[in-house]
């Protein structure tokens, strides 16, 4: 075959002023016969189709591997599959189940794989025939994946960039492989001479690139399959887990606590929109049947509890707002949820902390640690070993099966996910993950407020403009919220009743503004009378301060 291919590409032609094909001399400058061009084009298209398969396949596999690390419940492939299932009419679903039975999902994935393979091969052929034609197909791939990911109910922020990454990697690999193919098998369309390329080194470079990329895809595929298989098992266990009713249910949300204003987020943050900040490169996969929590250190007796024993305890349900210390002034690294769990103080009481202890070093499954003041876990606040979030088991990304929730403290000193150990100790003896990296030891949340409506830089129409947002000082509560325009007098906003002092409060204030440009600032005052700090400070080492400011253009 190589000899025939070489003859077709003109590699074995005699030197001189005439060229020989099929035993007959052909004058210089004459086009190769149409049959030869067609054969050369077919060979080139076959290799281009292979390049498309390898490029797209590698990108998809790397995307699945990335998703298994950062978003185990949602990946581009599962999202597209879920969207297809949602869109298929009931009659078709019933037919598929009748034909494939419990293998219906396998059949769906198989069908998707065939379609992806066909389009991938087509992208390679089109790209070698017309530059960027195949790239366009991969870009459409990415757009479809992104739309599917955004449509999923269990969407997390980490899942959103993955289909974009898949498209970019696929485009880059396809262009790289096609360039190497063109160096080996250049186009013969319109050529008056046999192709000059096709030397052994160019052929070897293309085949090495194709084989190396395939090897990367194979390795990534094994890793992704292993990780996603484990994630699927834990996710399935979670989906079937029935949480017990709370012995102490959450108090009802007060009437008027949620302000309905376009652009203002919900009072209780949906799980899929809840911020996620942690150091876990891969979401730890901890099954309830293997999870245990140990209390060690400066205690009268060490205690260990498993998941079944934890669920058997009288559980408490409370709304608590938690925030990340990295939240900038006006930022969104904050969320409010209804948590279900067992008070940490009850577990610590079983262990009996010694008098000299003043800190609890909590440890995550992945080794991350947080140092929490012992008093914050024993002073009566609703610090919980949480197992539920907004009426369902914790999402995998938010600490399933158990995490810590402590009102009034930034997450880096309190909100340990996938928690497996509580070491009762002293600040003088132990340090947590972030302390040696320059962050303060104790991390109390600072009084803060935010303008959500209208957004900074908005263009609005003159007249009555309703400003709205949130304010928080967890475990203390908010007493009032005020706004000022162009550094003028402070005007008090309407403050909605909070769910509790451990949650944020919503507020609104109508302002009559004439055409012009305005700077609007907000400040909050806690229930204990301490006002929000005006001086601007960065998030490090203990949380940002300053007034959130928006600038709006008012048009006539």
């Amino acid at each position: 075959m190589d000899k025939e291919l070489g003859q077709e590409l003109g590699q074995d032609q005699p030197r001189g002023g005439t060229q020989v094909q099929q035993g007959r001399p052909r004058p210089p400058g004459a086009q190769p016969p149409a049959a030869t061009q067609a054969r050369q084009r077919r060979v080139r298209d076959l290799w281009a189709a292979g390049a498309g398969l390898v490029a797209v396949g590698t990108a998809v596999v790397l995307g699945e591997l990335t998703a298994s690390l950062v978003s185990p419940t949602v990946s581009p492939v599962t999202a597209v599959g879920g969207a297809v299932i949602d869109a298929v009419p009931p009659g078709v679903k019933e037919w598929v189940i009748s034909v494939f039975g419990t293998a219906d999902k396998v059949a769906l994935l198989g069908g998707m794989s065939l379609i992806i393979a066909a389009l991938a091969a087509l992208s390679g052929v089109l790209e070698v025939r017309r530059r960027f034609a195949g790239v366009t197909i991969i870009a459409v791939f990415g757009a479809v994946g992104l739309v599917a990911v955004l449509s999923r109910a269990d969407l997390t922020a980490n899942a959103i960039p993955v289909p974009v990454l898949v498209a970019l990697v696929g485009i880059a690999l396809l262009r790289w492989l096609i360039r190497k193919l063109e160096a080996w098998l250049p186009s013969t369309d319109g050529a008056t001479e046999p192709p000059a390329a096709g030397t052994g080194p160019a052929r070897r470079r293309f085949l090495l690139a194709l084989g190396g990329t395939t090897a990367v895809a194979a390795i990534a595929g094994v890793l992704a399959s292993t990780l996603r298989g484990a994630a699927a098992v834990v996710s399935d266990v979670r989906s079937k887990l029935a949480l017990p009713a709370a012995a102490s249910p959450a108090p009802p949300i007060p009437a008027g606590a949620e302000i309905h204003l376009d652009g203002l987020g919900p009072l209780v943050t949906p799980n899929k929109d809840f911020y996620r900040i942690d150091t876990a490169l891969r979401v730890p996969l901890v099954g309830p049947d293997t999870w245990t929590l140990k209390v060690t250190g400066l205690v009268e007796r060490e205690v260990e509890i498993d998941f079944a024993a934890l669920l058997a305890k009288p559980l408490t349900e409370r709304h608590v707002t938690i925030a990340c210390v990295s939240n900038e002034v006006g930022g969104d690294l904050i969320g409010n949820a209804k948590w279900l769990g067992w008070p940490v103080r009850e577990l610590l009481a079983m262990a009996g902390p010694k008098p000299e202890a003043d800190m609890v070093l909590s440890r995550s499954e992945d080794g991350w640690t947080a140092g929490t003041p012992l008093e914050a876990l024993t002073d009566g606040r609703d610090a919980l070993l949480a197992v539920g979030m907004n009426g369902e088991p914790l999402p995998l990304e938010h600490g399933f099966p158990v995490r810590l929730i402590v009102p009034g403290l930034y997450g880096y000193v309190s909100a340990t996910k996938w928690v497996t150990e509580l070491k009762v100790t002293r600040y003088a003896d132990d340090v947590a993950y972030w302390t040696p990296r320059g962050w303060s030891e104790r991390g109390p949340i600072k009084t803060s407020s935010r303008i959500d409506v209208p957004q900074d830089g908005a263009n609005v129409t003159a007249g009555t403009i309703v400003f709205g947002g949130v304010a928080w000082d967890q475990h203390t509560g908010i007493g009032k919220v005020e706004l000022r325009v162009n550094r003028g007098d402070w005007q008090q906003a309407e403050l909605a009743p909070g769910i509790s002092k451990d949650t944020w409060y919503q507020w609104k204030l109508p302002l009559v503004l004439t055409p012009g440009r305005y700077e609007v600032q907000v400040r909050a005052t806690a229930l204990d009378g301490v006002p929000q700090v005006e001086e601007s400070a960065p998030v490090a080492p203990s949380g940002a301060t300053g007034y959130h400011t928006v600038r709006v253009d008012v048009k006539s």
Side-chain angles (χ1 to χ4, degrees), residues 56 115 117 150 174 223 272 306 308 314 331 333 376 398 425 459 500 555:
V56 173
I115 293 173
L150 292 173
L174 182 63
L223 291 174
K272 66 183 181 64
D306 61 22
L333 300 181
H398 291 289
T425 182
N459 293 311
S500 75
K555 307 297 184 181

Side-chain angles (χ1 to χ4, degrees), residues 214-385:
T214 303
V216 170
I219 295 171
V222 171
L223 291 174
S225 177
T226 302
L227 293 174
R228 293 206 68 80
V233 170
V234 176
S235 182
D236 185 60
V237 170
R238 175 190 173 272
S239 67
K240 296 176 180 177
L241 179 64
L243 296 176
S248 176
I253 297 176
E258 182 159 20
I259 295 174
H260 299 285
L261 182 62
D262 287 344
L264 184 60
L267 183 63
V268 178
T269 311
N271 291 354
K272 66 183 181 64
D273 297 330
F274 211 93
Y275 79 94
R276 178 196 166 194
I277 298 291
D278 52 54
T279 62
L281 179 61
R282 178 180 69 86
V283 173
L285 301 172
V286 185
D289 57 336
T290 61
W291 177 87
T292 60
L293 175 64
K294 297 179 180 179
V295 182
T296 62
L298 298 175
V299 292
E300 297 297 335
R301 65 201 68 82
E302 292 193 354
V303 176
E304 182 172 343
I305 187 172
D306 61 22
F307 193 69
L310 178 60
L311 291 189
K313 299 294 183 181
L315 302 183
T316 295
E317 187 180 58
R318 293 290 185 270
H319 287 91
V320 177
T321 297
I322 61 173
C324 180
V325 70
S326 297
N327 197 34
E328 301 278 359
V329 172
D332 59 359
L333 300 181
I334 181 171
N336 182 47
K338 183 171 66 175
W339 308 95
L340 174 69
W342 190 40
V344 184
R345 63 179 178 273
E346 301 292 342
L347 179 62
L348 292 175
M350 291 172 61
K354 294 183 178 179
E356 62 268 29
D358 62 2
M359 187 253 274
V360 173
L361 188 73
S362 55
R363 186 177 301 276
S364 170
E365 170 72 17
D366 65 350
W368 184 85
T369 55
T372 309
L374 177 60
E375 63 179 347
L377 299 175
T378 58
D379 64 2
R381 74 183 72 190
D382 291 315
L384 301 175
L385 289 167

